[in-house]
Amino acid sequence: MAASGNGLKWVFERGRNIMSSCLFTVLLLLDIYSKCVIGYMSSHVGEEPAYTAQQNPVMSSPVALTATSATPVVTDNYTSKCPSGGLCTKLPAECISCMYHHNCSYGQPANFTCRTRAGVHCVNAMDQPRQNFNLTVDCQFCWQLDPSQYRCSSSTSCMTVSCPRRRYIATCEVLEHVHCLGKRVFFKRLFCNWTGGYKWSTALALSITLGGFGADRFYLGQWREGLGKLFSFGGLGIWTLIDVLLIGVGYVGPADGSLYI
């Protein structure tokens, strides 16, 4: 009877330990999920609404005279960027000065009067030299262009693996051959998306095979957590299983805040 009682007591204790571990895991997952949902909602509250082009909306304002479709820095060597003898309409924005106005329908082609800068020579479609010409440009501001038509600065000081995803203020500049209204250099809030060279597959493989010794955390640059796992034998296996799950879903990333490759 004593042996039977000890067996039942062992089964009861074993079951209680398993239930505690399962409950801890469920609570952890619920906490992660709630943080992600709340962070996602908060990251979208207060954002500027996406511009929706209506049927022939008209942007009306007094005529604005701008030097080139932007305010480029005047330098003595701008002529080196301006091909001589080519079509006037193909010249980069730095090579011409245009009289842009805002009395046009968004997204629709509009004609503007332009003039080549000093030292720049071009021809029209009939191969005739021209200094003044008409340029057809879609009626939209530079910050409304497609992302493929401008370059933005990158940041290596923001956390890419976070919930919610973090943003940074980037300085963007329109490509030379693209013409648009307004300033050619502008600011945009972009998601952090830089990488430090860490591979997700390597981190996951280390977590599955050597996670009990903290190899995955050491690889990601999280040496404090790695030491904790090493001296606790992976939290007696519980920490190891949790890390496999967190690395698998991408919740745990490199310590420097970069993205996996």
Side-chain angles (χ1 to χ4, degrees), residues 75-121:
T75 58
D76 295 332
N77 61 349
Y78 71 88
T79 54
S80 62
K81 302 179 182 179
C82 305
S84 181
L87 289 175
C88 298
T89 55
K90 299 297 183 180
L91 287 173
E94 190 176 359
C95 305
I96 59 178
S97 298
C98 297
M99 294 188 297
Y100 287 116
H101 60 80
H102 301 161
N103 296 324
C104 56
S105 298
Y106 172 80
Q108 300 299 319
N111 292 322
F112 303 97
T113 302
C114 300
R115 180 185 179 89
T116 58
R117 297 182 62 181
V120 179
H121 306 281

Side-chain angles (χ1 to χ4, degrees), residues 55-59 102-110 137-140:
Q55 186 67 26
N56 291 330
V58 176
M59 299 188 296
H102 301 161
N103 296 324
C104 56
S105 298
Y106 172 80
Q108 300 299 319
V137 178
D138 288 340
C139 183
Q140 57 184 347

Side-chain angles (χ1 to χ4, degrees), residues 134-154:
N134 290 329
L135 181 66
T136 301
V137 178
D138 288 340
C139 183
Q140 57 184 347
F141 291 103
C142 295
W143 59 269
Q144 295 174 319
L145 292 172
D146 186 86
S148 62
Q149 295 181 311
Y150 55 82
R151 293 186 297 263
C152 295
S153 60
S154 58

